[in-house]
Amino acid sequence: MKRKVLAILSAAAVGCAALLAGCNQTTDIPNLEDGTVVIEFAATQCDQYAMEPTRRMVEAYNNGQGKIDKVYVQAQYNTGDMGSLSSMLSRNCRYNVVTVSDTQFKTLAVRDYFLPLDDYLTDEIKETLDWDSIPDGLLDRWRLTAETDENGFYHAGKGTNLLGISAGDSPLMLFYNEEIFEGEGINIISVEEEALDDYNAANGTQYQPHGYAEYSAAAADWAEAAGLESSTSYSGTEVYKVFNNRIPMNWEELRCVARDFTQEYGGDYNYGYMSEWWFYYGWSVGGDCVGWDEEQNRYIFTIGDQNTNWLAIDDVTVNGTDYKKGEVLDYEDSTWLHENGTASVTGNVHELPSQYDAFLEFNRLGVPSGSEVAEGVSGYGVAASTLENKNRWFTSGQSPMLVEGYYQSNNFKGSAVDGKINIAPVTQYREYVGGSTYQKDGEEGFANECLKIIGETYDGEVYTGELNRAENGTPIVGEAKTSSLTYAYCIPRNSDAEEYEAAMKFLAWIAGPEGQAIYCESENRVPNQTSYSMSESYYESDARNVDNAWAAAFASQNTWIGDWSYFNVSTWINDWADDLNVNVRNGSMTLTAFLDTYESIANNLLSAMRIRTKGI
């Protein structure tokens, strides 16, 4: 039955404290209006940055919208994940709203521990949430239907039950050291791609849509007036180096600028780049480490798949899935297209690199230049070959670039790079007219690869740096997509059913713009709603710990879970991940040898996974 404001509440508070001894709980309940429902909120992951905003978020609700809703919230604050959460959710759970990490979610969801929220998404609740403004990736990752089909699979992702809503977002970003960049003669601008033409017209500039580009000093007569400083390129040419922290670099730009920093190639730093994660390489062209095989009715390991991926040039329907022009096909539909041919669809598609190509390119960054990444393919040696201490290389100033979660912007406070760092989007597959690089003096090898300089002539053609486009104008670029760390607000199914509606009102408010405006003052999270996250009130707030918070908000529009959260168990990675993350990365085992040894093992392990997620 509904818990009204009665003396018994004090006893309930004591019971709650006993359940989670050592955690921080609000226990004082003020005099409340008759009919007010008291609910309990398990607010986990409240670290030193999130604790105070989370408290203020609950207080703001209780003192404002909660009075209108006639809902009062008692909060239990925990600095980490809640212990014994599975046990508490399995029986009469006293918590009406809980915070759940992505690593916990599917394990609990397949046990039917969370209330499907779809029936509670009334027009009023959607308005509170600013529903149409929440990116699909921050909703679909919390979808799962807790009953199996005829083949024993749970279904997750688009089209299944919504079991939670994201509590802010922390996407993977490219952190860079502004002081080092400027010391190497790199000019930094911040202009998003859609605004570039207008910016050029207003400022007399001629920037092209690159994350990093070099403009010929002899040809760019506009650059000096724009305040750019010239320097010498890797090829020995006087250029204006320009890094745009609101456009992703393509693969060639990233590896070349990272090389220019690296001591082995004449730079001043141990390495030019650090990254543990490779998702954004694969996702940009539609690949992943697993993909659904329709014929076998199971997931298979796809790192070694050398079939091309596809970009929709026109609006097309492939294997029953609708794609708008500029979207990249999912693995299952890409496989179907290979089997049935491009003539089977109305509209044009464009070939993109394979998943193998994407994974190979990423691995080459960290494998030493003298070692093979795959048979006949050498490493670039521009990143450390180990996952250990990657952040230390960055904070000690020995590498100017690092891919990390946005939350690290807080953790870098007080380090040697404090006040010197900013962020940009992670790399993306992007094609330019005439390509991106050439070989200096006609000699092959990465040590002789140079970025083409905008305004210089190659093979009788002036290089313009323009994006390569299809005949209908569709740009030949992959997805700007990255992984992110986020948590969900969920309603336990085994909590008091008479309080579901009250819990939903509170959940909608804290996951909506008003709650997110407070919660995301923790500096390292992006609010759920595009209408707020992509607004000046968010990314120009003094609460942001980096100047270019726009880049984090941009990244959060298209994020997804990492492979550690694809299934409800992680056993599918146990027998091969160490060799991949250690020996393949350091060049002591080639990717060729790894696939020969582990591909069948990974496939056998994947055969036991019983969750199918739309889009993977």
Side-chain angles (χ1 to χ4, degrees), residues 208-266:
Q208 290 291 344
H210 291 251
Y212 176 80
E214 296 175 351
Y215 297 81
S216 170
D221 54 5
W222 52 269
E224 186 174 352
L228 302 187
E229 295 185 5
S230 65
S231 57
T232 303
S233 72
Y234 185 76
S235 63
T237 305
E238 186 181 1
V239 297
Y240 294 101
K241 300 175 182 178
V242 178
F243 177 72
N244 189 338
N245 64 18
R246 295 195 176 188
I247 296 178
M249 289 187 283
N250 76 353
W251 296 357
E252 294 88 349
E253 291 164 1
L254 175 64
R255 69 181 183 236
C256 285
V257 74
R259 177 203 54 207
D260 295 354
F261 286 113
T262 305
Q263 287 178 354
E264 180 181 345
Y265 299 98

XYZ file of all heavy atoms in Angstrom, residues 208-266:
468
model
N 39.140 24.153 -44.657
C 38.440 22.990 -45.168
C 38.029 22.097 -43.992
O 38.589 22.215 -42.886
C 39.329 22.214 -46.144
C 39.585 22.932 -47.458
C 38.331 23.020 -48.328
O 37.341 22.306 -48.117
N 38.358 23.920 -49.301
N 37.051 21.195 -44.190
C 36.519 20.388 -43.068
C 37.451 19.250 -42.656
O 37.207 18.076 -42.936
C 35.185 19.868 -43.613
C 35.393 19.807 -45.091
C 36.272 20.965 -45.430
N 38.547 19.598 -42.025
C 39.527 18.637 -41.523
C 39.668 18.788 -40.015
O 39.575 19.903 -39.482
C 40.902 18.888 -42.145
C 40.992 18.583 -43.604
N 41.702 17.504 -44.098
C 40.484 19.221 -44.688
C 41.625 17.494 -45.422
N 40.889 18.529 -45.797
N 39.978 17.677 -39.344
C 40.375 17.771 -37.956
C 41.768 18.356 -37.829
O 42.043 19.176 -36.948
N 42.660 17.913 -38.717
C 44.006 18.481 -38.787
C 44.356 18.654 -40.254
O 44.145 17.753 -41.066
C 45.034 17.575 -38.107
C 46.454 18.094 -38.254
C 46.926 19.112 -37.435
C 47.306 17.584 -39.230
C 48.214 19.616 -37.584
C 48.597 18.078 -39.389
C 49.052 19.090 -38.560
O 50.312 19.594 -38.714
N 44.891 19.820 -40.615
C 45.272 20.078 -42.006
C 46.469 21.007 -42.039
O 46.742 21.749 -41.085
C 44.102 20.701 -42.781
N 47.176 20.947 -43.165
C 48.306 21.847 -43.398
C 48.049 22.623 -44.677
O 47.734 22.044 -45.723
C 49.612 21.050 -43.480
C 49.937 20.362 -42.174
C 51.150 19.457 -42.207
O 51.685 19.208 -43.315
O 51.570 18.988 -41.131
N 48.147 23.944 -44.573
C 47.873 24.843 -45.689
C 49.187 25.441 -46.180
O 50.013 25.890 -45.373
C 46.921 25.962 -45.259
C 45.560 25.478 -44.832
C 45.348 24.967 -43.548
C 44.475 25.506 -45.702
C 44.102 24.504 -43.144
C 43.227 25.052 -45.313
C 43.042 24.551 -44.031
O 41.806 24.090 -43.648
N 49.380 25.451 -47.480
C 50.608 25.988 -48.058
C 50.767 27.461 -47.706
O 49.874 28.282 -47.977
C 50.581 25.823 -49.583
O 51.640 26.534 -50.182
N 51.898 27.814 -47.111
C 52.144 29.220 -46.771
C 52.243 30.070 -48.026
O 51.927 31.264 -48.007
C 53.424 29.337 -45.947
N 52.667 29.444 -49.126
C 52.796 30.184 -50.374
C 51.450 30.466 -51.013
O 51.304 31.440 -51.769
C 53.673 29.397 -51.351
N 50.448 29.634 -50.719
C 49.149 29.758 -51.384
C 48.063 30.341 -50.490
O 47.088 30.903 -50.993
C 48.697 28.385 -51.897
N 48.210 30.233 -49.185
C 47.159 30.677 -48.257
C 47.383 32.140 -47.889
O 47.827 32.460 -46.780
C 47.133 29.788 -47.026
N 47.043 33.046 -48.824
C 47.282 34.469 -48.575
C 46.332 35.046 -47.525
O 46.504 36.173 -47.071
C 47.170 35.264 -49.881
C 45.857 35.027 -50.611
O 44.991 34.314 -50.063
O 45.704 35.549 -51.724
N 45.337 34.283 -47.105
C 44.371 34.720 -46.101
C 44.826 34.410 -44.685
O 44.295 34.940 -43.712
C 43.023 34.034 -46.332
C 43.145 32.534 -46.452
C 43.331 31.825 -47.601
C 43.131 31.567 -45.383
N 43.429 30.478 -47.331
C 43.307 30.298 -45.975
C 42.978 31.653 -44.009
C 43.339 29.118 -45.237
C 43.009 30.485 -43.257
C 43.200 29.242 -43.865
N 45.808 33.476 -44.549
C 46.131 32.908 -43.242
C 46.746 33.914 -42.281
O 46.443 33.924 -41.083
C 47.051 31.708 -43.412
N 47.627 34.783 -42.772
C 48.283 35.735 -41.881
C 47.266 36.701 -41.287
O 47.316 37.024 -40.104
C 49.376 36.499 -42.626
C 50.197 37.411 -41.731
C 51.370 38.055 -42.455
O 51.640 37.681 -43.619
O 52.007 38.940 -41.853
N 46.315 37.141 -42.124
C 45.287 38.052 -41.634
C 44.387 37.378 -40.597
O 43.818 38.048 -39.728
C 44.438 38.557 -42.802
N 44.303 36.047 -40.686
C 43.491 35.295 -39.723
C 44.246 35.039 -38.428
O 43.704 34.428 -37.506
C 43.052 33.968 -40.340
N 45.491 35.504 -38.363
C 46.270 35.358 -37.139
C 47.014 34.042 -37.022
O 47.493 33.703 -35.928
N 47.132 33.288 -38.116
C 47.827 32.007 -38.064
C 49.339 32.207 -38.103
O 49.850 33.124 -38.749
C 47.400 31.113 -39.237
C 45.908 30.794 -39.372
C 45.678 29.772 -40.477
C 45.324 30.293 -38.057
N 50.049 31.322 -37.427
C 51.504 31.329 -37.449
C 51.992 30.158 -38.287
O 51.474 29.046 -38.189
C 52.061 31.225 -36.032
C 51.734 32.434 -35.157
C 52.404 32.368 -33.797
O 53.205 31.419 -33.582
O 52.126 33.255 -32.965
N 53.003 30.398 -39.099
C 53.508 29.340 -39.969
C 54.606 28.543 -39.279
O 55.222 28.987 -38.305
C 54.039 29.931 -41.277
O 55.163 30.758 -41.027
N 54.838 27.338 -39.795
C 55.901 26.471 -39.294
C 56.283 25.511 -40.421
O 55.766 25.625 -41.541
C 55.442 25.718 -38.048
O 54.267 24.970 -38.317
N 57.164 24.583 -40.131
C 57.647 23.669 -41.161
C 56.967 22.312 -41.033
O 56.894 21.738 -39.940
C 59.174 23.487 -41.052
O 59.800 24.760 -41.145
C 59.696 22.594 -42.174
N 56.476 21.788 -42.149
C 55.794 20.497 -42.142
C 56.807 19.357 -42.081
O 58.020 19.554 -42.225
C 54.946 20.342 -43.416
O 55.783 20.131 -44.539
N 56.329 18.161 -41.896
C 57.170 16.968 -41.873
C 57.930 16.817 -43.184
O 59.042 16.295 -43.210
C 56.293 15.749 -41.612
C 57.039 14.447 -41.437
C 57.719 14.165 -40.253
C 57.035 13.479 -42.438
C 58.390 12.964 -40.074
C 57.689 12.270 -42.273
C 58.374 12.012 -41.095
O 59.039 10.812 -40.926
N 57.329 17.301 -44.278
C 57.975 17.203 -45.598
C 58.968 18.321 -45.839
O 59.627 18.360 -46.880
C 56.907 17.219 -46.695
O 56.196 18.462 -46.684
N 59.072 19.269 -44.901
C 60.030 20.361 -45.038
C 59.482 21.596 -45.712
O 60.238 22.504 -46.068
N 58.158 21.681 -45.862
C 57.512 22.808 -46.533
C 56.986 23.799 -45.490
O 56.510 23.393 -44.421
C 56.332 22.302 -47.392
O 56.806 21.295 -48.300
C 55.693 23.434 -48.174
N 57.061 25.101 -45.790
C 56.486 26.100 -44.890
C 54.969 26.052 -45.027
O 54.422 26.211 -46.122
C 56.992 27.502 -45.194
C 56.505 28.529 -44.169
C 56.974 29.949 -44.460
O 57.659 30.151 -45.479
O 56.628 30.853 -43.676
N 54.301 25.830 -43.910
C 52.851 25.637 -43.917
C 52.219 26.323 -42.714
O 52.907 26.761 -41.789
C 52.479 24.129 -43.867
C 52.976 23.392 -45.096
C 53.005 23.488 -42.584
N 50.900 26.394 -42.779
C 50.098 26.745 -41.610
C 49.424 25.466 -41.126
O 48.586 24.891 -41.826
C 49.046 27.792 -41.961
C 49.614 29.127 -42.359
C 49.700 29.492 -43.704
C 50.073 30.035 -41.407
C 50.219 30.722 -44.078
C 50.598 31.263 -41.776
C 50.676 31.597 -43.112
O 51.197 32.819 -43.475
N 49.823 24.994 -39.951
C 49.222 23.794 -39.379
C 47.979 24.205 -38.594
O 48.054 25.102 -37.749
C 50.207 23.094 -38.445
C 51.505 22.657 -39.118
C 52.476 22.076 -38.093
C 53.792 21.683 -38.741
N 54.771 21.169 -37.739
N 46.870 23.552 -38.873
C 45.597 23.923 -38.237
C 44.911 22.686 -37.671
O 44.642 21.717 -38.389
C 44.661 24.636 -39.231
C 43.327 24.958 -38.554
C 45.310 25.900 -39.769
N 44.650 22.725 -36.383
C 43.892 21.678 -35.699
C 42.533 22.251 -35.322
O 42.447 23.249 -34.606
C 44.639 21.227 -34.439
C 43.909 20.193 -33.622
C 43.796 18.892 -34.076
C 43.347 20.515 -32.387
C 43.128 17.924 -33.320
C 42.688 19.569 -31.626
C 42.578 18.266 -32.097
N 41.467 21.635 -35.846
C 40.105 22.069 -35.538
C 39.522 21.111 -34.509
O 39.237 19.950 -34.815
C 39.237 22.083 -36.799
C 37.885 22.731 -36.569
O 37.397 22.828 -35.450
N 37.254 23.184 -37.641
N 39.349 21.585 -33.287
C 38.932 20.670 -32.214
C 37.433 20.382 -32.198
O 36.924 19.813 -31.227
C 39.406 21.179 -30.845
C 38.784 22.510 -30.432
O 37.754 22.928 -30.967
N 39.400 23.184 -29.472
N 36.744 20.732 -33.294
C 35.324 20.388 -33.395
C 35.019 19.515 -34.615
O 33.848 19.271 -34.921
C 34.466 21.654 -33.408
C 34.567 22.419 -32.087
C 33.494 23.461 -31.924
N 33.574 24.090 -30.607
C 32.682 24.933 -30.125
N 31.621 25.267 -30.856
N 32.822 25.465 -28.923
N 36.062 19.049 -35.300
C 35.896 18.118 -36.417
C 36.828 16.941 -36.167
O 38.001 17.138 -35.842
C 36.216 18.777 -37.769
C 35.227 19.913 -38.055
C 36.168 17.754 -38.902
C 35.487 20.658 -39.359
N 36.355 15.700 -36.314
C 37.249 14.559 -36.097
C 38.375 14.516 -37.125
O 38.173 14.819 -38.307
C 36.324 13.344 -36.259
C 34.934 13.868 -36.081
C 34.969 15.275 -36.609
N 39.557 14.134 -36.696
C 40.625 13.815 -37.641
C 40.285 12.507 -38.351
O 39.605 11.644 -37.782
C 41.962 13.662 -36.914
C 42.544 14.962 -36.397
S 44.227 14.775 -35.722
C 43.860 14.037 -34.123
N 40.764 12.346 -39.580
C 40.621 11.038 -40.203
C 41.827 10.180 -39.834
O 42.744 10.614 -39.134
C 40.384 11.139 -41.707
C 41.628 11.462 -42.514
O 42.703 11.741 -41.964
N 41.509 11.422 -43.833
N 41.829 8.932 -40.290
C 42.863 7.988 -39.856
C 44.260 8.480 -40.225
O 45.198 8.373 -39.437
C 42.613 6.617 -40.475
C 41.325 5.975 -40.027
C 40.423 6.465 -39.116
C 40.801 4.728 -40.477
N 39.374 5.595 -38.970
C 39.566 4.521 -39.788
C 41.224 3.770 -41.382
C 38.790 3.384 -39.993
C 40.461 2.630 -41.598
C 39.247 2.441 -40.902
N 44.397 9.003 -41.444
C 45.710 9.455 -41.904
C 46.185 10.672 -41.117
O 47.371 10.768 -40.757
C 45.657 9.779 -43.402
C 45.404 8.591 -44.312
C 43.924 8.307 -44.535
O 43.080 8.896 -43.818
O 43.604 7.498 -45.421
N 45.296 11.602 -40.868
C 45.676 12.800 -40.112
C 46.144 12.439 -38.712
O 47.152 12.977 -38.222
C 44.485 13.766 -40.056
C 44.148 14.402 -41.394
C 42.776 15.042 -41.429
O 42.062 15.030 -40.405
O 42.401 15.552 -42.505
N 45.419 11.536 -38.068
C 45.790 11.160 -36.707
C 47.172 10.523 -36.668
O 48.032 10.892 -35.869
C 44.758 10.209 -36.119
C 45.122 9.650 -34.742
C 45.203 10.756 -33.702
C 44.161 8.572 -34.290
N 47.407 9.539 -37.537
C 48.691 8.835 -37.461
C 49.855 9.735 -37.842
O 50.945 9.627 -37.275
C 48.668 7.566 -38.305
C 48.625 7.754 -39.819
C 48.570 6.422 -40.531
N 48.598 6.536 -41.980
C 47.687 6.030 -42.788
N 46.632 5.396 -42.280
N 47.806 6.148 -44.093
N 49.610 10.664 -38.787
C 50.703 11.543 -39.214
C 51.024 12.605 -38.166
O 52.197 12.881 -37.893
C 50.363 12.192 -40.557
S 50.513 11.063 -41.970
N 50.019 13.219 -37.581
C 50.304 14.236 -36.573
C 50.876 13.580 -35.321
O 51.765 14.149 -34.662
C 49.050 15.086 -36.265
C 48.027 14.329 -35.431
C 49.442 16.378 -35.552
N 50.431 12.354 -34.981
C 51.013 11.636 -33.850
C 52.482 11.322 -34.131
O 53.332 11.437 -33.237
C 50.232 10.353 -33.578
N 52.793 10.936 -35.350
C 54.188 10.649 -35.720
C 55.063 11.891 -35.593
O 56.205 11.820 -35.133
C 54.250 10.127 -37.153
C 55.667 9.855 -37.657
C 55.748 9.892 -39.158
N 55.214 11.130 -39.678
C 54.691 11.244 -40.904
N 54.638 10.204 -41.710
N 54.232 12.405 -41.314
N 54.525 13.047 -35.992
C 55.327 14.271 -35.967
C 55.789 14.630 -34.554
O 56.789 15.321 -34.386
C 54.528 15.433 -36.562
C 54.238 15.227 -38.048
O 54.752 14.244 -38.625
O 53.474 16.031 -38.614
N 55.054 14.154 -33.543
C 55.426 14.415 -32.154
C 56.440 13.397 -31.623
O 57.102 13.644 -30.619
C 54.193 14.353 -31.243
C 53.268 15.533 -31.366
C 51.988 15.380 -31.887
C 53.658 16.792 -30.938
C 51.119 16.461 -31.974
C 52.800 17.870 -31.025
C 51.533 17.709 -31.549
N 56.536 12.222 -32.263
C 57.231 11.070 -31.697
C 58.732 11.121 -31.958
O 59.165 11.363 -33.087
C 56.621 9.768 -32.258
O 55.212 9.762 -32.005
C 57.256 8.546 -31.625
N 59.525 10.833 -30.945
C 60.984 10.949 -31.026
C 61.577 10.112 -32.143
O 62.514 10.552 -32.827
C 61.614 10.537 -29.687
C 61.432 11.549 -28.583
C 62.014 11.098 -27.264
O 62.480 9.961 -27.131
N 61.997 11.985 -26.277
N 61.051 8.920 -32.355
C 61.595 8.053 -33.396
C 61.579 8.717 -34.770
O 62.423 8.427 -35.623
C 60.796 6.740 -33.444
C 61.286 5.769 -34.504
C 60.475 4.483 -34.557
O 59.721 4.216 -33.598
O 60.593 3.756 -35.553
N 60.647 9.640 -34.964
C 60.506 10.292 -36.266
C 60.953 11.749 -36.221
O 60.575 12.546 -37.088
C 59.058 10.201 -36.728
C 58.577 8.781 -36.897
C 57.831 8.153 -35.896
C 58.885 8.051 -38.047
C 57.398 6.849 -36.045
C 58.449 6.741 -38.208
C 57.717 6.147 -37.201
O 57.283 4.846 -37.358
N 61.727 12.107 -35.224
C 62.283 13.454 -35.158
C 61.530 14.405 -34.252
O 61.899 15.581 -34.152
